[in-house]
Amino acid sequence: MPGAGAERAVLIGIDLGTSAAKILACTPSGANVALESASYPLETPRPQWVEQDANDVYQAAMKTLHGVLADVRLRGDEVLAIGFSCAMHGLLAVDERGEPLGPLITWMDRRSASVADRWRADGTAAKLYANTGAPIHPMLPSCKLRWLSENDPGILERAARFVSLKELFVFRWTGEWLIDWGMASGTGLFDPQTRAWDDYALDEARVAPEKLSKLAAPSTTLRTLRPNVAAALGIDPATAVVLASNDGALANLGVGAVTKGELALTLGTSGAIRTVVDTAALDPNGRTFCYAYDDKKFVAGGPTSSAGAVLNALHALFLEDVPQAERFSTAVALAEKAEAGAKGLTVMPFLSGERAPYWLSELRGGLVGLDLSHTRSDVMRAAFESVVFALATVYDVLRERVGDIHTIRLSGGLTHAAFVRQLVADVFGCGAVLANQEEASAFGAAMLAGIAVAAIADDRAVAALLQPVHAHHPNPDAVTLYRAILARYRDVVAANLPLYS
């Protein structure tokens, strides 16, 4: 356990998200000390390409971290450990010095759709899923690498290695190229059961293991900060830097969904459900993922592309007269006025394709059942219902592997609305809880760092630190009603899938 002075120690969680970096300082008892964020842009130079400047991300995150650490020093606190969370599936080519050779290809990028389609058609996808627990989709670095080998082979020759944003940070801080098992799980190149790179996946992706970082357990702790980095941040070069895990796994820890029967549900820009399991939980049809969670356990679940980004697009279409900053609250107010099921209107929320459980980047959205009686309120109601239905459809698959749940632990910007929280409780038919930590992945990164340096006992101790701010119980009448409405949604999607499969 930490020694003398630990009562003035803080833990830092760094979450490198898709559009923003969030830096959290908290005590080992879970009390927040400082929280700041910095946004950075995404670039779309061609259709289906979604990229990011890795140096922009680094500079924005470092400036924000500097501000958080200044607040920590003003309090007279010491940094006990720093943990990293990062969005999965990004791919960045770097040279021998660690300098980017181009932009980061983000998880949203779909240029490698042809590779994913080909692998699904010839049976490769099924073999890759069985080995890696990662359903085949253009988001995966394995697909991206194969696409590069076929369309830009020069980059494979020039690149010293291919990394994620987290690996770039760790290298710039310590001089070591390391990738934790959680982040490696999101590459489509890693076997979470053996905790090693998978030879078959490497061959299909056409990448040598020497061009990837060294695998390491999430608890791996480094105390070798480069002197210039430590000086710039104002911390001891021997400060513990913990690799931690991916943003999804850390969100589970950050909301306290760490035991059997508990589900973490995120509704932000995208959506996801995840549950922690002791043994690998693979779906025979490859519809849900199974990744490394920490040094021993796994996290199973599925992400959807159908959440905040889709709602924002629909709000822009139907609430064009409303100032952008007021559209979400206006949409919620309109949706609350409409009846459950929106008078027979169903929204297919697949404006940018879909991941779990269909894994079809070509899938598109629509309004089904629209008639002359429908209003904007009905459209908004059906839109909110659809993003929750999308996650409920993933749960249909996950339940076959992990059984029923009794509690959903929430995170993500959409869950700040009471209407959305109650909708989740009614559709899933179980309690939905929002705890007192807004930034689940950043908090999870800080807490896993605390576990790694023995300041916190384990993940259950982290869950015990969290206090519910909002708890919603399912309304029995609404549960019955939504069972029929969800069935209609499933039928609508099933009828449309042949158009895109």
Side-chain angles (χ1 to χ4, degrees):
M1 300 295 288
E7 67 277 3
R8 298 303 310 175
V10 299
L11 303 165
I12 305 291
I14 300 174
D15 178 30
L16 304 173
T18 303
S19 57
K22 296 166 185 175
I23 317 291
L24 171 70
C26 61
T27 67
S29 62
N32 285 1
V33 170
L35 172 63
E36 293 187 22
S37 65
S39 60
Y40 29 78
L42 292 164
E43 303 293 337
T44 53
R46 302 184 193 179
Q48 297 193 332
W49 292 33
V50 186
E51 301 175 337
Q52 205 159 48
D53 187 311
N55 285 321
D56 284 352
V57 176
Y58 186 81
Q59 292 167 12
M62 290 297 282
K63 288 178 182 177
T64 306
L65 176 60
H66 193 276
V68 168
L69 291 173
D71 289 345
V72 168
R73 287 192 295 273
L74 284 172
R75 286 170 47 93
D77 293 337
E78 296 292 332
V79 177
L80 182 61
I82 301 173
F84 273 101
S85 167
C86 187
M88 289 183 283
H89 317 305
L91 186 72
L92 178 68
V94 296
D95 64 16
E96 289 287 356
R97 297 173 56 249
E99 291 300 314
L101 295 176
L104 175 83
I105 306 175
T106 72
W107 69 266
M108 299 172 71
D109 193 282
R110 292 183 288 159
R111 74 186 68 176
S112 62
S114 60
V115 174
D117 291 343
R118 187 167 71 242
W119 281 352
R120 283 196 292 266
D122 67 12
T124 301
K127 296 177 184 177
L128 288 170
Y129 175 79
N131 289 10
T132 68
I136 295 304
H137 186 271
M139 70 181 183
L140 292 180
S142 57
C143 291
K144 296 179 171 88
L145 285 164
R146 180 60 178 260
W147 186 92
L148 289 172
S149 75
E150 296 172 355
N151 294 273
D152 188 9
I155 193 69
L156 275 83
E157 297 175 6
R158 297 194 306 276
R161 64 188 69 238
F162 293 91
V163 301
S164 67
L165 283 173
K166 186 200 287 197
E167 292 159 76
L168 181 69
F169 272 70
V170 171
F171 173 75
R172 288 183 173 178
W173 283 24
T174 70
E176 294 194 56
W177 287 112
L178 296 171
I179 182 170
D180 63 84
W181 295 337
M183 287 298 294
S185 291
T187 64
L189 302 168
F190 174 79
D191 183 341
Q193 299 190 71
T194 63
R195 311 268 159 147
W197 294 122
D198 181 70
D199 290 338
Y200 178 71
L202 295 177
D203 288 344
E204 289 299 324
R206 295 181 178 171
V207 64
E210 294 77 21
K211 293 213 170 188
L212 302 174
S213 294
K214 180 181 177 182
L215 291 164
S219 65
T220 297
T221 304
L222 307 173
R223 297 182 181 273
T224 53
L225 278 174
R226 296 179 192 262
N228 58 329
V229 173
L233 294 175
I235 58 178
D236 189 331
T239 299
V241 176
V242 180
L243 296 186
S245 193
N246 63 62
D247 59 346
L250 292 170
N252 269 65
L253 179 59
V255 299
V258 298
T259 58
K260 182 177 175 58
E262 294 186 317
L263 190 73
L265 185 150
T266 300
L267 273 173
T269 303
S270 59
I273 59 167
R274 301 167 305 272
T275 189
V276 174
V277 290
D278 293 330
T279 57
L282 296 175
D283 172 50
N285 296 308
R287 294 168 293 178
T288 52
F289 63 67
C290 183
Y291 295 157
Y293 163 68
D294 59 9
D295 288 14
K296 295 180 180 179
K297 290 179 283 188
F298 304 82
V299 59
T304 73
S305 301
S306 307
V310 168
L311 290 179
N312 287 341
L314 293 175
H315 296 166
L317 285 173
F318 291 95
L319 302 175
E320 185 180 10
D321 57 318
V322 178
Q324 188 167 352
E326 300 172 17
R327 285 177 183 168
F328 179 73
S329 60
T330 300
V332 170
L334 287 169
E336 288 179 313
K337 293 179 181 178
E339 65 184 45
K343 294 186 294 189
L345 179 63
T346 298
V347 169
M348 289 178 55
F350 313 123
L351 275 62
S352 58
E354 186 54 293
R355 292 182 286 169
Y358 314 110
W359 303 100
L360 284 173
S361 61
E362 303 85 359
L363 192 56
R364 289 295 177 268
L367 299 175
V368 179
L370 186 67
D371 67 30
L372 293 173
S373 71
H374 284 118
T375 66
R376 287 202 300 183
S377 289
D378 296 316
V379 175
M380 292 302 103
R381 179 84 187 204
F384 278 106
E385 289 175 344
S386 74
V387 300
V388 177
F389 291 165
L391 289 175
T393 305
V394 181
Y395 176 59
D396 289 343
V397 177
L398 187 62
R399 179 165 43 195
E400 298 171 9
R401 308 268 75 77
V402 303
D404 290 331
I405 55 167
H406 53 71
T407 304
I408 294 177
R409 303 198 179 276
L410 301 167
S411 66
L414 300 187
T415 66
H416 293 171
F419 167 71
V420 174
R421 296 192 298 270
Q422 187 61 48
L423 184 59
V424 169
D426 292 339
V427 171
F428 281 79
C430 67
V433 177
L434 183 67
N436 59 334
Q437 284 292 346
E438 288 188 19
E439 301 300 338
S441 294
F443 182 65
M447 291 293 100
L448 192 53
I451 294 170
V453 298
I456 302 168
D458 54 27
D459 57 2
R460 295 192 180 203
V462 173
L465 298 175
L466 292 162
Q467 300 298 319
V469 176
H470 300 287
H472 293 255
H473 302 287
N475 179 303
D477 291 338
V479 170
T480 300
L481 185 59
Y482 270 116
R483 196 170 294 132
I485 298 168
L486 177 57
R488 184 183 73 211
Y489 170 87
R490 292 192 190 100
D491 290 343
V492 167
V493 174
N496 280 270
L497 281 176
L499 300 175
Y500 303 98
S501 298

